[in-house]
Amino acid sequence: MTVHTIQTQPIAGQKPGTSGLRKKTPVFMGRHYLENFVQAIFDVVGAEGKTFVLGGDGRYFNDRAAQVILRMAAANGAARVIVGQGAILSTPAASHLIRLNKTDGGIIMSASHNPGGPHEDFGVKFNMSNGGPAPEGVTEAMFQRTTEITEYKMLDAHDVDLGAVGRHHLGGMIVDVVDPVSDYAALMETLFDFPAIAAMFKGGFRMRMDSMCAVTGPYAVEILENRLGAATGTCVNATPLPDFGGMHPDPNPTWAKALMDEMFGADAPDFGAASDGDGDRNMVVGAGAYVSPSDSLAVLAANAHLAPGYARGLAGVARSMPTSAAADRVADALGIGKYETPTGWKFFGNLLDAGRATLCGEESFGTGSDHVREKDGLWAVLLWLNILAVRKQSVATILAEHWAKFGRNYYSRHDFEAIASDKADAMMAALRASLPALAGRVVEGLTISAADDFAYTDPVDGSVSQKQGVRILFEDGSRIVLRLSGTGTDGATLRLYLERYAAGPEGLDRDPQEALAPVIRAAHVLAGIEGYTGRVTPDVIT
Ligand code: VG1
Ligand code: CO
């Protein structure tokens, strides 16, 4: 087998965003596109003699891209690649395999919650040897490399059979095809009280798990139905499909509407959950009780000690800046560390590695812990199940008791999608320019106490990340955050995050949109959203 060195040239815009490089699938399938980016990865992290993990969420082009990446890894001198059978690995399972096998990192093929298919989205992200997403310094170096690349290396070889577990050789490189589920499921058994959860199912507890035709299907069936004894059929949409069955694999009330309808209908199951394309996100919902992701993080932090893996308590809790402060209140009550990071899981890595944080979460339906270095959808579902099995209360009661104790951070995110990028940029620029003069101003009856553009200094390595989102804080503790998405592939997406605190005991069970109404109006006034974008009504409300 020969290694070919193929002449190429830089392709504009190969810049990783919040979570790797994401583009329309035809763009990724274009001449040299995938190859240039993969070579840039290997040029930055080095491949010679190294071992990597490879897998993806099964979306269209996943199988072809895997073969290209394997041939390039071999051509670049990698010693071994561990691949999920069928080129399938959920993001948290890939993170676990990287750590379990002490490899030098991994390549995950996914555009996460973005739809998949020939005309939808594809993505590639690199995770480091700690199992976590490459930090900004590394992704910046990869981007830099894509702007100067002149050649890539490719082994001339047949496809590797990824359909069955076993060892293959590709040039001088070993390819180990492994079961995507078993090591991950074994890890979950070490963290949670499986007998207690199984007893709960045996006692008639009913659940619906919607994998949205994405990667968590096989994991959910094995863990929930096979190992925990949930009724057959508990898991729906459990076969990963290249186009996710035409679904938008984003677990939120808009896209997981069927699950929401069931959970709010007559004869609702006790517990419902959904996960995203690559299995790192989760939505949890009780019978007639939606759990906002920010509240989910707070409830998990307050109750994690009920699960064996966290019985010793938590070192600290970290949340992304736009996530509500509900988790901070729990951290204060527990007397443990609390951290506020920019959006994106890569910012939690150092806190987890340093043992400062045990649980992490984002408002975008992401929760996780130090068991891997990614957010983990099924992990969150299992921790909820463990808590439900111990407390023997409904989700609604657990939420109500949580708010009664800590007060409630009403929270919502409004997304305005596919805005013309120049208009979104102009709006953000004007808003940023207005920040110094905002303190003291009264809008919609709310007095602004401070406004800034969030900057983060990593407490472990001192690296600084600027311009991570505009924050407008009000005297009554309300808050508005605005930032542009770094994961979209179609124009710009404006994310507007809204928060308002109610201490209780009155007013803890209002409708969030109604409770937030003055904050929403203030955001539109301050940012001039309609004037810049022509939009008043968000495309997605979570
Ligand atoms: C979004 C979310 C962010 C999340 C990221 C990746 O980013 O807001 O919280 O970490 O997606 O999630 P953005 O830049 O579009 O707001 V996923 O499930 O890739 O892995
Ligand atoms: Co995801």
Side-chain angles (χ1 to χ4, degrees):
M1 283 181 253
T2 25
V3 171
H4 293 292
T5 300
I6 297 161
Q7 303 304 311
T8 186
Q9 53 192 17
I11 298 172
Q14 292 196 308
K15 192 172 174 62
T18 316
S19 186
L21 180 66
R22 257 174 229 194
K23 295 288 170 194
K24 290 288 169 206
T25 309
V27 174
F28 248 107
M29 294 176 77
R31 188 170 156 78
H32 300 319
Y33 196 93
L34 172 68
E35 293 84 350
N36 274 17
F37 188 64
V38 171
Q39 188 64 51
I41 291 174
F42 288 142
D43 286 349
V44 168
V45 302
E48 189 68 40
K50 293 196 168 171
T51 297
F52 299 108
V53 165
L54 174 65
D57 62 14
R59 70 181 60 220
Y60 187 83
F61 190 49
N62 187 81
D63 48 354
R64 298 307 315 148
Q67 298 290 348
V68 169
I69 294 168
L70 284 173
R71 282 202 284 274
M72 289 186 67
N76 279 276
R80 180 178 170 226
V81 176
I82 300 167
V83 197
Q85 187 180 356
I88 294 282
L89 282 177
S90 76
T91 287
S95 181
H96 178 50
L97 283 180
I98 291 169
R99 298 165 64 76
L100 182 69
N101 295 287
K102 300 195 166 43
T103 69
D104 300 290
I107 292 179
I108 302 172
M109 302 168 290
S110 172
S112 187
H113 53 287
N114 298 22
H119 305 292
E120 300 294 349
D121 294 350
F122 193 78
V124 169
K125 51 187 175 179
F126 185 79
N127 282 32
M128 311 294 282
S129 59
N130 73 343
E136 271 193 333
V138 175
T139 55
E140 195 50 41
M142 289 169 182
F143 171 58
Q144 193 53 44
R145 187 69 196 138
T146 66
T147 66
E148 58 197 34
I149 194 164
T150 55
E151 57 183 42
Y152 63 81
K153 291 194 175 66
M154 180 71 74
L155 188 75
D156 185 13
H158 290 297
D159 283 0
V160 181
D161 178 10
L162 301 179
V165 168
R167 175 163 285 194
H168 304 270
H169 294 270
L170 188 61
M173 187 178 85
I174 291 168
V175 178
D176 280 324
V177 181
V178 301
D179 180 275
V181 177
S182 54
D183 286 323
Y184 176 83
L187 174 65
M188 294 300 115
E189 293 213 32
T190 68
L191 298 174
F192 302 115
D193 189 344
F194 271 44
I197 301 171
M200 179 171 71
F201 279 121
K202 204 157 187 235
F205 183 90
R206 290 187 304 133
M207 175 178 178
R208 178 72 64 234
M209 171 76 212
D210 190 341
S211 290
M212 305 185 84
C213 300
V215 80
T216 56
Y219 297 84
V221 170
E222 172 61 19
I223 294 171
L224 297 173
E225 296 187 9
N226 297 350
R227 299 198 186 194
L228 290 168
T232 305
T234 294
C235 303
V236 295
N237 297 319
T239 303
L241 300 174
D243 65 349
F244 304 128
M247 294 172 88
H248 191 148
D250 195 352
N252 63 42
T254 302
W255 296 115
K257 187 169 181 306
L259 177 69
M260 290 298 283
D261 288 348
E262 185 175 6
M263 296 308 298
F264 280 82
D267 196 33
D270 300 290
F271 187 59
S275 53
D276 73 331
D278 62 333
D280 55 2
R281 296 185 180 203
N282 72 93
M283 178 175 79
V284 293
V285 49
Y290 168 67
V291 186
S292 87
S294 293
D295 279 345
S296 181
L297 175 64
V299 170
L300 294 181
N303 294 279
H305 61 280
L306 301 177
Y310 307 93
R312 283 171 288 113
L314 310 176
V317 181
R319 64 169 173 86
S320 69
M321 181 274 282
T323 304
S324 93
D328 296 15
R329 297 178 191 282
V330 176
D332 288 343
L334 293 173
I336 59 175
K338 57 180 181 189
Y339 301 90
E340 185 178 36
T341 62
T343 293
W345 210 261
K346 58 183 147 209
F347 294 102
F348 294 132
N350 281 345
L351 295 170
L352 292 165
D353 284 348
R356 296 213 201 177
T358 310
L359 294 200
C360 305
E362 295 192 278
E363 49 63 42
S364 53
F365 299 85
T367 20
S369 88
D370 58 0
H371 68 292
V372 290
R373 291 295 179 274
E374 285 278 5
K375 54 190 183 278
D376 187 344
L378 272 174
W379 168 90
V381 170
L382 290 166
L383 181 49
W384 263 100
L385 284 171
N386 199 143
I387 292 165
L388 291 166
V390 173
R391 287 187 54 166
K392 303 188 192 328
Q393 291 169 305
S394 70
V395 172
T397 304
I398 288 175
L399 272 183
E401 289 189 3
H402 187 91
W403 294 331
K405 182 169 178 189
F406 296 99
R408 180 171 180 183
N409 290 74
Y410 282 101
Y411 188 85
S412 185
R413 186 177 98 183
H414 292 189
D415 291 337
F416 301 83
E417 296 175 346
I419 302 172
S421 292
D422 55 341
K423 292 185 175 155
D425 290 342
M427 194 204 83
M428 290 302 291
L431 181 63
R432 288 190 156 103
S434 76
L435 295 179
L438 284 187
R441 196 170 145 191
V442 181
V443 196
E444 297 293 322
L446 299 165
T447 307
I448 298 173
S449 56
D452 69 358
D453 195 349
F454 183 59
Y456 178 67
T457 304
D458 187 298
V460 179
D461 68 16
S463 60
V464 177
S465 304
Q466 308 274 7
K467 297 183 86 168
Q468 296 295 321
V470 167
R471 298 191 290 189
I472 301 168
L473 312 172
F474 296 90
E475 276 177 0
D476 71 348
S478 299
R479 187 179 72 147
I480 295 168
V481 174
L482 294 104
R483 57 181 283 282
L484 298 182
S485 160
T487 59
T489 57
D490 201 4
T493 293
L494 167 67
R495 302 207 194 283
L496 168 62
Y497 309 84
L498 306 141
E499 180 173 358
R500 186 178 198 188
Y501 181 63
E506 302 301 316
L508 293 178
D509 53 5
R510 297 173 69 187
D511 169 68
Q513 300 305 319
E514 183 237 332
L516 290 164
V519 187
I520 296 169
R521 288 196 300 271
H524 280 266
V525 170
L526 289 165
I529 296 172
E530 186 178 8
Y532 281 97
T533 69
R535 305 286 184 86
V536 187
T537 314
D539 298 284
V540 177
I541 295 180
T542 53

